[in-house]
Amino acid sequence: MSREMMRQGGRSARIQREVHAATRALLEEMDRGSVTVPMIAERAGVTPSTIYRRWGDLSQLLADVAVERLRPISDPDDTGSTTGDIEAFVLQYAEEMSSPVGRALLRDVIANGEDISCPSKCCRYTSDHLETISARAVTRGEPPLDVPELVDRLIAPICYHILFADRDVSPDYCRTLLDAVDLASPVAARAAG
Amino acid sequence: MSREMMRQGGRSARIQREVHAATRALLEEMDRGSVTVPMIAERAGVTPSTIYRRWGDLSQLLADVAVERLRPISDPDDTGSTTGDIEAFVLQYAEEMSSPVGRALLRDVIANGEDISCPSKCCRYTSDHLETISARAVTRGEPPLDVPELVDRLIAPICYHILFADRDVSPDYCRTLLDAVDLASPVAARAAG
């Protein structure tokens, strides 16, 4: 019985891998509006109903693939200082997410209807990175960072302008946001207090 | 000739009205994943190719309908004070946008691929409201507001949490954002300086 379940797990993981790979390949080859579940199924060597059963519909599959691609592959750069770590992370976030690929991934994550697991996973990646930077600060004897405040002050405006396309999130703009957050006192103080 | 164009304009406006109405009606009757262009065309009494020619694809039509529904029908409430106007506007924005209908509209606006006209229209409605509040402040002899800063500090975090569904945008949360923006000095000062 437990062996059966392990096999099931293995097959299930393989299906996920194949379907994700097929989706990514098709998204590179054609306009995303033209990609359909039957196409993905054919490419992945599964039946369309396997996909519908597992993902519900195309938008949820696209969101799942997008979240997987947004999953960080390493910790944020360690620059030796908390200010440096945050600046490096924020500049990289803005650059990656404002690229055509980044925008499309963000949109796919958000567009998937009522299922909120993908969007909340996606923003947890961001908070986790900031928590890592905060933990490093503590190791250096500094107070921890107020991560929710940093999300609101740095990540949210960048994300807003990328999604609504009303202004460039240039490095200069990001530095204005960083300068307005006094990392040395209020944020840290609020977290420590 | 000019008469021809006026007629054309009239027909064009009528088609837009009918197609929007058909889309809204279908979105109320069924799951948005089930709505198709041919269904909308049949309900609106036009051919599908009329819709494709004018809107490109379903996601652009949905975005167009969503932007239309997000278009404000009146100026923000005049509470007699700038702080009061901003608070009223922000609380109302958070409440409306975090409702199931508001979330769906935001997602439709954002999800429409490479065409950025709908998302940027949508966030211009928000800036315009804040500009109206700012103009009222000036009429009262106060300095103008720094609208881009207010968008970053108040609107962007609310929008972020609605789209990524990682936290509630309760009135208490909104008030925390409002309290952190010192309307009496730095924002105004920056705009004035």
Side-chain angles (χ1 to χ4, degrees):
Chain A
M1 175 66 178
S2 88
R3 186 155 206 167
E4 282 284 311
M5 285 177 71
M6 281 173 66
R7 271 193 201 147
Q8 175 67 24
R11 197 179 65 211
S12 168
R14 203 186 65 228
I15 288 172
Q16 157 136 354
R17 230 171 17 242
E18 296 292 337
V19 169
H20 274 218
T23 309
R24 284 195 305 270
L26 287 166
L27 288 174
E28 291 204 353
E29 286 165 30
M30 59 180 74
D31 192 64
R32 78 189 328 82
S34 316
V35 176
T36 65
V37 168
M39 269 181 211
I40 296 170
E42 196 192 342
R43 180 75 65 103
V46 301
T47 63
S49 61
T50 300
I51 294 182
Y52 290 121
R53 214 168 26 239
R54 182 146 175 175
W55 282 277
D57 62 20
L58 179 62
S59 73
Q60 290 193 39
L61 170 56
L62 290 176
D64 194 35
V65 169
V67 167
E68 193 54 33
R69 290 183 67 182
L70 290 168
R71 190 155 62 92
I73 46 170
S74 62
D75 276 346
D77 288 345
D78 189 343
T79 65
S81 81
T82 305
T83 319
D85 285 4
I86 294 178
E87 177 170 337
F89 173 62
V90 166
L91 290 176
Q92 195 190 340
Y93 180 92
E95 190 189 327
E96 286 180 7
M97 293 305 183
S98 64
S99 70
V101 171
R103 277 175 207 268
L105 292 176
L106 269 186
R107 276 198 308 263
D108 281 347
V109 165
I110 286 167
N112 81 326
E114 290 312 315
D115 177 5
I116 60 163
S117 65
C118 285
S120 55
K121 226 187 261 179
C122 173
C123 72
R124 208 173 326 127
Y125 295 154
T126 310
S127 303
D128 284 353
H129 262 174
L130 290 168
E131 292 290 357
T132 303
I133 294 173
S134 177
R136 270 187 213 145
V138 172
T139 310
R140 286 191 207 101
E142 299 165 21
L145 297 168
D146 185 343
V147 171
E149 163 118 6
L150 292 180
V151 167
D152 284 1
R153 298 289 300 271
L154 304 172
I155 304 298
I158 291 171
C159 230
Y160 182 90
H161 297 303
I162 290 173
L163 290 171
F164 288 100
D166 65 325
R167 76 177 291 168
D168 243 20
V169 292
S170 63
D172 278 354
Y173 169 72
C174 294
R175 288 207 181 86
T176 315
L177 295 176
L178 286 159
D179 287 347
V181 177
D182 187 356
L183 289 171
S185 74
V187 172
R190 207 164 305 167
Chain B
M1 174 64 178
S2 88
R3 187 155 205 167
E4 281 285 308
M5 286 177 73
M6 279 171 66
R7 273 195 198 145
Q8 174 68 27
R11 198 179 64 210
S12 169
R14 204 186 63 229
I15 288 172
Q16 158 137 354
R17 229 170 19 242
E18 296 291 338
V19 170
H20 274 218
T23 308
R24 283 195 306 268
L26 287 166
L27 286 176
E28 290 203 354
E29 287 167 29
M30 59 180 75
D31 191 64
R32 80 192 323 85
S34 316
V35 176
T36 64
V37 168
M39 271 179 209
I40 296 169
E42 197 192 341
R43 179 75 64 103
V46 301
T47 63
S49 62
T50 300
I51 293 182
Y52 290 120
R53 214 168 26 238
R54 182 147 173 173
W55 282 276
D57 62 21
L58 179 62
S59 73
Q60 290 191 41
L61 170 56
L62 289 176
D64 194 34
V65 169
V67 167
E68 192 56 31
R69 290 184 66 183
L70 290 169
R71 191 155 62 93
I73 46 170
S74 63
D75 275 347
D77 289 344
D78 189 342
T79 65
S81 82
T82 306
T83 319
D85 285 4
I86 294 179
E87 178 170 338
F89 173 62
V90 165
L91 291 177
Q92 195 190 340
Y93 180 92
E95 190 189 328
E96 286 181 5
M97 292 304 181
S98 64
S99 69
V101 171
R103 276 175 206 268
L105 292 176
L106 268 186
R107 276 200 306 265
D108 280 348
V109 164
I110 286 168
N112 83 326
E114 291 312 314
D115 178 5
I116 60 163
S117 66
C118 285
S120 54
K121 226 187 261 178
C122 172
C123 72
R124 209 173 326 126
Y125 295 153
T126 310
S127 304
D128 284 353
H129 262 174
L130 291 168
E131 293 289 358
T132 302
I133 294 173
S134 176
R136 270 187 214 145
V138 172
T139 311
R140 286 191 207 102
E142 300 165 22
L145 297 168
D146 185 342
V147 171
E149 164 119 5
L150 292 180
V151 168
D152 284 1
R153 297 289 299 272
L154 304 172
I155 303 299
I158 291 171
C159 230
Y160 181 90
H161 298 302
I162 290 173
L163 290 171
F164 287 101
D166 65 324
R167 76 175 293 166
D168 243 21
V169 292
S170 63
D172 278 353
Y173 169 71
C174 294
R175 289 207 181 88
T176 316
L177 295 176
L178 287 158
D179 288 346
V181 177
D182 186 357
L183 289 171
S185 73
V187 172
R190 207 165 307 166

